[in-house]
Amino acid sequence: MKKKVLLMGKSGSGKTSMRSIIFANYIARDTRRLGATIDVEHSNVRFLGNLVLNLWDCGGQEVFMENYIAAQRDHIFRNVEVLIYVFDVESREYEKDMHYYQSCLEAIMTNSKDARIFCLIHKMDLVPEDQRDAVFEEREADLKRRSLPLNITAFGTSIWDETLYKAWSSIVYSLIPNVRQLEQHLESLCAICEADEVVLFERTTFLVISHSAQKPHPDVHRFEKVSNIIKQFKLSCSKSQAQFQSMEVRSSTFASFIDVLTPNTYVMVVMSDGTIQSAATLINIAAARPYFQQIEQGQFGR
């Protein structure tokens, strides 16, 4: 099951850096050595077994953008499932950026009218922290106005924090078929474990696929923070020629378990009830594995 994903935006906006962090195990500081993308770089990223993201990373130099919109219009914009357009928040050519963005939208409307559109307002770390919310809200409102009649989803992102994982988790979530079935099983697992929360991660990227919670939590970015931390920990393990398998973190107020659930996913179970033994939680995770493997094979095994 192959899904075409376009990654577009002006040259230097950070497209290839974010792709390399999410899918190629780069850490943020290593992206400085990446060069500019020339024309279109194609990559097939296997995600959740047989779901393949056919990622088109499109170079953003003006000569290439003009070519995509004119000579290669049908080739580039046909059969697109998702368009991800990246904006450099500090760009000094805002109107020119908008011109190319709206030209891409026109091509999408003609060739892939059902495509989902995500706008990433990138390099938000360069905006003073006390101004970030206001800057993002202003840009988001302008993008939504200029995108009409199409609906878009916008995120403020940076390669230096968890916001990148939040955006890409939402993008990938939109591509997963029958995701509600996964969520129902997570709800059951959460109840059986008497957990505060259960979270499902994709095994390679550690992007969040879905979650179920029985108790509210004040930190809305907690999943992406965990993604970022565990991804870095996995990279450290691989550098030591060790393989990350599972983890248990316990304190006086909570216990958290991260373990393999299926060949393509990890599960995290979080609980605040200190009377529940670790062995009981691990047994419940083991008992759930066959059910989640069945769902995965049913959805992605075709």
Side-chain angles (χ1 to χ4, degrees), residues 20-82:
S20 300
I21 288 170
I22 297 294
F23 296 111
N25 291 331
Y26 273 65
I27 57 176
R29 66 173 179 269
D30 289 345
T31 61
R32 292 171 178 151
R33 66 173 186 258
L34 292 169
T37 301
I38 304 301
D39 203 4
V40 181
E41 288 187 9
H42 300 271
S43 56
N44 288 319
V45 180
R46 191 167 294 278
F47 191 92
L48 277 178
N50 287 330
L51 175 60
V52 176
L53 306 186
N54 181 215
L55 194 59
W56 294 38
D57 184 354
C58 302
Q61 294 92 328
E62 285 187 36
V63 63
F64 296 138
M65 294 296 288
E66 295 287 353
N67 193 32
Y68 305 148
I69 293 161
Q72 295 192 67
R73 189 184 184 95
D74 291 348
H75 173 64
I76 295 289
F77 295 99
R78 188 187 298 122
N79 300 323
V80 174
E81 292 279 345
V82 166

Side-chain angles (χ1 to χ4, degrees), residues 176-193:
I176 298 172
N178 305 321
V179 74
R180 183 61 194 139
Q181 190 180 6
L182 269 176
E183 289 172 341
Q184 287 169 346
H185 279 70
L186 280 181
E187 287 165 10
S188 298
L189 179 59
C190 193
I192 289 166
C193 291

Side-chain angles (χ1 to χ4, degrees), residues 202-246:
E202 200 275 333
R203 187 167 184 170
T204 304
T205 61
F206 239 81
L207 292 174
V208 177
I209 298 168
S210 186
H211 80 284
S212 174
Q214 296 200 105
K215 290 186 179 179
H217 195 286
D219 187 353
V220 296
H221 297 299
R222 61 196 180 281
F223 305 143
E224 293 74 36
K225 289 176 181 175
V226 171
S227 290
N228 206 356
I229 291 165
I230 298 299
K231 187 90 177 278
Q232 300 308 315
F233 182 67
K234 282 179 68 182
L235 290 173
S236 299
C237 289
S238 63
K239 287 175 182 176
S240 305
Q241 298 185 326
Q243 191 168 358
F244 175 77
Q245 178 72 20
S246 61

Side-chain angles (χ1 to χ4, degrees), residues 185 189 192-193 259-261 279-294:
H185 279 70
L189 179 59
I192 289 166
C193 291
D259 203 353
V260 172
L261 187 63
T281 302
L282 295 173
I283 287 169
N284 284 326
I285 293 173
R289 283 193 182 105
Y291 296 97
F292 281 90
Q293 285 173 1
Q294 261 187 339

